[in-house]
Amino acid sequence: GNSVTQMEGPVTLSEEAFLTINCTYTATGYPSLFWYVQYPGEGLQLLLKATKADDKGSNKGFEATYRKETTSFHLEKGSVQVSDSAVYFCALSVASGGSYIPTFGRGTSLIVHP
Amino acid sequence: NAGVTQTPKFRVLKTGQSMTLLCAQDMNHEYMYWYRQDPGMGLRLIHYSVGEGTTAKGEVPDGYNVSRLKKQNFLLGLESAAPSQTSVYFCASSSPRAAKNIQYFGAGTRLSVL
């Protein structure tokens, strides 16, 4: 079956530090890959996506590159802010039996201190 | 633009009581989902629907029923609530073909079962 593994948190950083959250996946077929962010008390919202190998998704200073050879989609940001404190979810979506049911990782909590 | 709307936002039930959570989307999406989110467990899929009049079981369907009589609505029912169903419930919708299955989430329903 499909699965997504992401690093356990919490990840605690100081403002302006470099962020990496690792994500690897297993999928039958050719998945689309996503990062979602969940701010406290809210639902998840799309942060960025990539739909084919070597694509780089980017948004709000965050980036992730679809690496088919290592089945990875690591999230990076060069300089985090306190407002980036949230839970980040890696996810994939791939056709299976005619349906496109997504698979989510367990989420990684990021805490950024001033 | 309303997106995905969940009602109610909060609810407290006694063991054995029943209730229905309502999800409505205004994006004409084919797919709709119900998830539960528990600490340390990430998102777990309860039931989903790939179109009006169709539903299917997800990862944790026991104790829940769903119905999708109209394309824009997806109802989640608890027939006899148990304390193990205390959780935050999220509804989501997506369109696999039009938008690479990006999930759009509601703000969540916080349910406590005493």
Side-chain angles (χ1 to χ4, degrees):
Chain A
N2 303 322
S3 66
V4 174
T5 303
Q6 55 183 112
M7 60 191 291
E8 290 192 20
V11 174
T12 304
L13 296 173
S14 297
E15 206 164 25
E16 300 184 2
F18 184 85
L19 168 70
T20 300
I21 300 178
N22 291 336
C23 171
T24 57
Y25 67 90
T26 303
T28 53
Y30 207 143
S32 294
L33 302 175
F34 308 86
W35 277 101
Y36 290 85
V37 59
Q38 184 181 31
Y39 298 104
E42 299 182 8
L44 282 70
Q45 56 186 277
L46 179 71
L47 179 60
L48 54 84
K49 67 176 174 62
T51 57
K52 60 183 187 293
D54 300 324
D55 264 3
K56 178 184 284 188
S58 62
N59 186 24
K60 300 180 180 180
F62 291 89
E63 294 182 339
T65 301
Y66 190 141
R67 300 290 188 198
K68 192 170 187 292
E69 64 276 12
T70 55
T71 61
S72 65
F73 193 53
H74 305 320
L75 183 67
E76 296 182 336
K77 187 175 186 182
S79 177
V80 294
Q81 306 300 312
V82 172
S83 58
D84 294 327
S85 298
V87 181
Y88 293 81
F89 291 87
C90 186
L92 68 83
S93 179
V94 64
S96 177
S99 298
Y100 292 79
I101 305 306
T103 302
F104 285 85
R106 288 197 169 191
T108 301
S109 175
L110 171 65
I111 301 169
V112 181
H113 293 293
Chain B
N1 213 2
V4 178
T5 304
Q6 291 183 232
T7 53
K9 290 184 169 30
F10 303 94
R11 186 72 186 268
V12 178
L13 291 178
K14 294 181 179 178
T15 297
Q17 287 185 319
S18 63
M19 77 163 293
T20 300
L21 282 66
L22 173 63
C23 177
Q25 54 98 0
D26 62 2
M27 295 172 283
N28 201 32
H29 285 167
E30 299 92 337
Y31 284 35
M32 296 187 75
Y33 315 79
W34 277 107
Y35 297 92
R36 60 178 290 172
Q37 184 177 33
D38 303 291
M41 300 295 291
L43 286 177
R44 292 185 292 172
L45 183 63
I46 304 172
H47 286 279
Y48 64 96
S49 168
V50 300
E52 181 179 324
T54 69
T55 63
K57 294 180 180 179
E59 180 186 354
V60 288
D62 294 343
Y64 305 95
N65 57 76
V66 288
S67 65
R68 192 159 178 211
L69 300 179
K70 294 183 179 180
K71 187 177 184 179
Q72 63 268 33
N73 295 336
F74 195 31
L75 279 61
L76 178 71
L78 285 72
E79 290 186 346
S80 179
S84 61
Q85 295 178 304
T86 293
S87 187
V88 181
Y89 292 86
F90 288 99
C91 177
S93 70
S94 70
S95 178
R97 291 160 191 81
K100 295 295 183 184
N101 214 26
I102 295 170
Q103 303 263 293
Y104 293 82
F105 285 81
T109 296
R110 297 180 185 280
L111 174 67
S112 292
V113 182
L114 306 178

